[in-house]
Amino acid sequence: MCKLGLRLATFLAVCVCIYGCGSIVKNLGVGDGENENVASAIAATWWDGPKVRPGVGLIIQVGTSATQPFKMDALVDQKGEITLPLLLQKPVKCDGLSLEALKETLVKEYSVYYRQPQITVTFAPFDPRSGVSPWGTVTVLGEVNNPGPVNMPSTMDLTVTKVLQTAGGLKQFADRRKIQVTRCDRNGAQTKYMINLNEIGKDGRFDKDITLKAGDVVYVYETWY
């Protein structure tokens, strides 16, 4: 992810951290009064699956029943648009679209040039360390070595322990017993989970290592002793 994107995502997470993402709050797990002021989840747009967004790579094939398809690689620009052959004079807006919705848009656009165009659209492979995931991100804040957004893999199996490892691990004075996960639903209502890494590691309670969702915010508290 580019530095600008990293800074923007971190800024948004901090803003939501301060102002919250809704007036309805449901608190789960062990916590204290500090919880209400800790990171809350960004109201993401990933509820219905992966979406096209700036920085995402796409593989597009265009053909007809009578012609062989030709393959194009496209990168969604910062305006959320792509430019394709025969459509150079008219960039296609695609930010926030699903692959199916983008396919329908391209079929309509290419119908000007082809009779019944046959189009496929897939996401290009991305490097989780530097690329942009169409499956969204989880934001990690607090006592970790590399705070900021972490790409959600296509397998959607990112857990609390995995995201902490990806964020560079815990700092020296991180409280392993207080890892908070905050999640917002469609209406902005919060659900909070308090994770105790000692239960997962020492006690073998892998069921406590919950699977995260895109838009979650993971906050690591500092221990006071």
Side-chain angles (χ1 to χ4, degrees):
M1 180 177 292
C2 66
K3 292 183 179 179
L4 178 60
L6 175 62
R7 291 174 181 172
L8 179 59
T10 303
F11 172 75
L12 290 174
V14 172
C15 287
V16 179
C17 210
I18 296 173
Y19 297 108
C21 61
S23 59
I24 303 175
V25 178
K26 182 179 181 182
N27 200 336
L28 300 180
V30 179
D32 52 34
E34 291 180 283
N35 290 344
E36 302 307 318
N37 298 317
V38 182
S40 54
I42 297 173
T45 57
W46 309 98
W47 305 106
D48 301 316
K51 298 289 191 299
V52 178
R53 57 174 293 183
V56 166
L58 300 170
I59 300 174
I60 300 170
Q61 295 190 76
V62 180
T64 68
S65 58
T67 62
Q68 291 291 325
F70 62 94
K71 179 180 175 182
M72 298 172 287
D73 295 324
L75 182 68
V76 184
D77 64 24
Q78 291 305 307
K79 295 181 180 179
E81 300 176 339
I82 54 175
T83 302
L84 302 171
L86 298 181
L87 295 174
L88 293 176
Q89 73 282 8
K90 184 181 179 182
V92 178
K93 294 184 179 297
C94 54
D95 188 15
L97 296 182
S98 66
L99 289 183
E100 185 61 30
L102 177 55
K103 174 184 173 181
E104 293 176 1
T105 298
L106 293 178
V107 167
K108 180 179 178 181
E109 296 289 349
Y110 273 104
S111 292
V112 177
Y113 308 97
Y114 298 98
R115 183 178 180 180
Q116 297 181 338
Q118 298 178 358
I119 296 177
T120 61
V121 184
T122 57
F123 290 115
F126 75 98
D127 184 345
R129 297 168 297 179
S130 58
V132 177
S133 171
W135 286 267
T137 59
V138 171
T139 301
V140 186
L141 300 172
E143 297 300 299
V144 292
N145 289 307
N146 299 311
V150 173
N151 278 317
M152 178 68 70
S154 59
T155 51
M156 303 295 286
D157 61 352
L158 188 65
T159 63
V160 173
T161 55
K162 287 181 181 178
V163 83
L164 293 177
Q165 291 174 357
T166 305
L170 301 178
K171 289 185 176 180
Q172 181 180 357
F173 296 107
D175 191 340
R176 297 177 56 87
R177 301 169 303 171
K178 294 182 66 176
I179 314 295
Q180 180 169 280
V181 177
T182 306
R183 181 173 298 163
C184 283
D185 65 16
R186 292 175 182 269
N187 299 318
Q190 295 181 352
T191 301
K192 297 182 179 182
Y193 306 86
M194 192 64 74
I195 309 300
N196 185 335
L197 294 183
N198 291 335
E199 288 185 339
I200 299 173
K202 293 182 179 180
D203 302 335
R205 293 294 305 274
F206 297 109
D207 57 303
K208 299 289 186 178
D209 191 13
I210 66 173
T211 300
L212 300 169
K213 294 184 178 181
D216 285 352
V217 171
V218 178
Y219 186 90
V220 181
Y221 281 90
E222 181 181 8
T223 183
W224 293 100
Y225 57 87

